[in-house]
Amino acid sequence: MINRRTLLKNLSALPLLGGFIGGNHLLGKSGVTGNVVADKMYRDYFKELGVRTFINAAGTYTAMSGCLMREETVQAINYASNQYVNIDDLQDRVGERIAELLDCEAATVTAGCFSAITLGLAGVMSGLDPKKAAKIPDDIADLKNEVILQKSHHIGYAHALRNCGVKLVEVETAAELENAINDKTAMLWFLNYGNPDGHVKYDEFVAIGKKHGVPTMIDCAADVPPKENLFKYTKMGFDLVCFSGGKGLRGPQSAGLLLGKKDLIAAARLSAAPRGDTVGRGMKVNKEETLGMLAALENFLTRDHEADWKLWKGQIEHIHDTVASVDGVMAEIHVPEIANHVPSLKVSWDQNKIKMDGNAVREKLRMGHPSIQTVGNNESLGITTWMMNPGEERIVASRIKEILSTDVE
Ligand SMILES: *Cc1c(COP(=O)(O)O)cnc(C)c1O
């Protein structure tokens, strides 16, 4: 263990060393866009701490720190960090601006999509009564305290609903859904990427909610691109729509969007910080994330999405062509229909010929220089390029080729 005195001594010596170039030193300045770190000299904290950085060939994973924010977002965060404001005033104005940009009734910045789900439900349960909000999650017998969802939509993130203490009621068909609605039903919850697997599709789901006067919420966390999705589900009639800020929008990783009906957004905010006696007090969003989220959204809305797509597709094709040239390797480009709707690559190989399983290859990629993170299973590697910096696809392609080219019988 390094003692405090040595640590302080090292710290005081650091400016004399002139700092290090953080981020993608391998690429140099010219190969990097949208990553401010790479253009500036910074003290190299990650190196000091012994935490390895890596090329993200996986995608927007929370455990991998999500995404890299764009320059405009970082500038907004820096700007916000220098002045005090009243948090509710800022949320009011930013919410209005976002609602205007996304052509919906109202909006608020949350601490991620998960938090948007919890706060949105809390608002449905409390209405505009702060005393009811204070009862969540453990004193809710007198409130509406059941949420209905389709069985195939019931994923781990539904824990965001359980945070409010509610009972989750699973149904499969539209008839079951209607039957399950009673005077304790607070809300109907829909998982956007679960749509193909569920019996009840969007229109019918929304119509059932309206018929019974029960609010509907949809989780669209990872569902931009396409840009249209930011508008689509509020227009479709969902009362509340939740997005991650730190996935395709490339905003702060600890930010998200809750969009929807004016009274429901106002009610959701009764359970959010700065109010203390609430379920959402721990999901604090300060001025930096609030403004960063707005800046990221503005950047996203005005981007050339065709150019982005062309870049990601070209990168994926480069990796595809490079690795597919190895004897025994299969590579397949695909685009998921909903959620992470971007050019993606699945790489597999004849494991009789190349005697390594998927996890072993992933580990070699992770342990190499530079370290590269991918996803997948024992059979294959999963790769996306949208969270990479331009140029990194060449390193990824040649490393995978190199690894799969060894150990061949
Ligand atoms: C990522 C994700 C979440 C959580 O989003 P955060 O912004 O990380 O809070 C919720 N639901 C789904 C379907 C997701 O993919």
Side-chain angles (χ1 to χ4, degrees):
M1 271 299 279
I2 188 166
N3 67 34
R4 187 167 169 270
R5 211 163 134 203
T6 318
L7 183 67
L8 289 173
K9 205 171 117 213
N10 287 345
L11 283 176
S12 64
L14 269 166
L16 298 174
L17 299 173
F20 301 89
I21 300 173
N24 296 283
H25 52 285
L26 279 163
L27 293 164
K29 274 179 166 182
S30 58
V32 177
T33 56
N35 175 7
V36 279
V37 172
D39 283 354
K40 291 182 184 146
M41 300 288 276
Y42 277 102
R43 184 177 142 193
D44 201 341
Y45 286 97
F46 292 142
K47 193 169 179 184
E48 267 178 52
L49 294 166
V51 176
R52 286 197 80 185
T53 60
F54 51 83
I55 292 176
N56 181 358
T60 56
Y61 290 89
T62 299
M64 299 185 197
S65 63
C67 62
L68 299 183
M69 293 181 286
R70 299 194 187 275
E71 173 125 30
E72 293 84 345
T73 305
V74 177
Q75 277 173 7
I77 289 172
N78 283 337
Y79 166 86
S81 73
N82 285 312
Q83 292 153 97
Y84 294 100
V85 291
N86 177 289
I87 283 301
D88 275 329
D89 288 349
L90 181 65
Q91 276 278 14
D92 285 348
R93 296 289 94 75
V94 167
E96 282 163 18
R97 175 82 67 89
I98 292 174
E100 213 174 282
L101 289 169
L102 299 183
D103 197 22
C104 59
E105 267 189 35
T108 192
V109 177
T110 64
C113 181
F114 195 95
S115 147
I117 296 168
T118 301
L119 294 178
L121 173 57
V124 166
M125 294 166 72
S126 68
L128 292 167
D129 182 350
K131 288 200 200 74
K132 286 186 180 163
K135 287 170 171 277
I136 302 169
D138 61 331
D139 184 16
I140 59 169
D142 297 337
L143 307 181
K144 290 184 192 284
N145 55 23
E146 292 182 10
V147 173
I148 307 174
L149 74 176
Q150 296 182 73
K151 202 171 174 182
S152 58
H153 291 210
H154 195 164
I155 55 168
Y157 291 120
H159 203 123
L161 301 164
R162 288 166 51 209
N163 274 356
C164 292
V166 297
K167 177 174 153 205
L168 297 185
V169 180
E170 285 184 356
V171 297
E172 290 189 80
T173 63
E176 282 175 28
L177 174 52
E178 286 210 70
N179 273 334
I181 295 175
N182 65 67
D183 60 5
K184 282 292 172 194
T185 306
M187 193 175 82
L188 312 182
W189 190 76
F190 198 94
L191 176 66
N192 191 33
Y193 84 68
N195 186 55
D197 302 323
H199 286 273
V200 192
K201 308 297 183 193
Y202 303 114
D203 290 345
E204 194 177 13
F205 193 87
V206 167
I208 291 173
K210 289 200 190 312
K211 179 177 161 192
H212 295 272
V214 180
T216 49
M217 174 191 278
I218 186 166
D219 173 353
C220 300
D223 307 343
V224 282
K227 174 170 106 174
E228 294 72 50
N229 281 359
L230 288 166
F231 304 84
K232 186 173 169 182
Y233 301 102
T234 49
K235 301 247 180 289
M236 213 181 252
F238 281 95
D239 298 291
L240 290 166
V241 180
C242 312
F243 284 99
S244 289
K247 291 181 178 168
L249 291 173
R250 290 187 59 168
Q253 180 55 198
S254 26
L257 293 174
L258 179 65
L259 315 175
K261 290 279 176 326
K262 209 167 191 148
D263 54 339
L264 291 180
I265 298 293
R269 284 187 52 198
L270 291 184
S271 281
R275 282 151 288 281
D277 188 6
T278 61
V279 70
R281 175 58 178 80
M283 306 171 188
K284 188 196 273 190
V285 185
N286 202 13
K287 54 194 163 51
E288 289 81 9
E289 292 90 21
T290 306
L291 223 49
M293 188 69 253
L294 175 64
L297 181 65
E298 287 180 350
N299 177 278
F300 183 84
L301 290 171
T302 53
R303 291 188 71 72
D304 182 344
H305 292 273
E306 263 175 47
D308 283 343
W309 192 273
K310 214 171 132 201
L311 172 69
W312 302 333
K313 187 162 167 278
Q315 290 171 301
I316 277 287
E317 284 167 356
H318 173 76
I319 301 172
H320 171 274
D321 295 352
T322 307
V323 304
S325 71
V326 179
D327 190 31
V329 173
M330 282 79 70
E332 182 199 329
I333 296 174
H334 63 105
V335 178
E337 180 93 21
I338 320 173
N340 303 301
H341 176 74
V342 292
S344 308
L345 185 67
K346 183 180 165 191
V347 182
S348 55
W349 52 93
D350 180 350
Q351 293 194 8
N352 292 316
K353 226 179 217 166
I354 302 167
K355 303 220 173 274
M356 270 176 291
D357 63 25
N359 291 337
V361 172
R362 240 187 323 284
E363 186 64 5
K364 281 187 193 238
L365 286 168
R366 203 171 65 77
M367 297 309 287
H369 297 274
S371 174
I372 298 167
Q373 291 274 11
T374 57
V375 288
N377 52 35
N378 247 334
E379 266 67 61
S380 64
L381 301 180
I383 290 167
T384 65
T385 50
W386 65 321
M387 291 297 134
M388 282 183 195
N389 289 304
E392 289 177 340
E393 73 277 9
R394 300 190 169 275
I395 301 170
V396 172
S398 62
R399 270 298 286 155
I400 297 175
K401 182 177 178 179
E402 183 182 43
I403 291 168
L404 292 176
S405 302
T406 57
D407 263 359
V408 181
E409 292 234 313

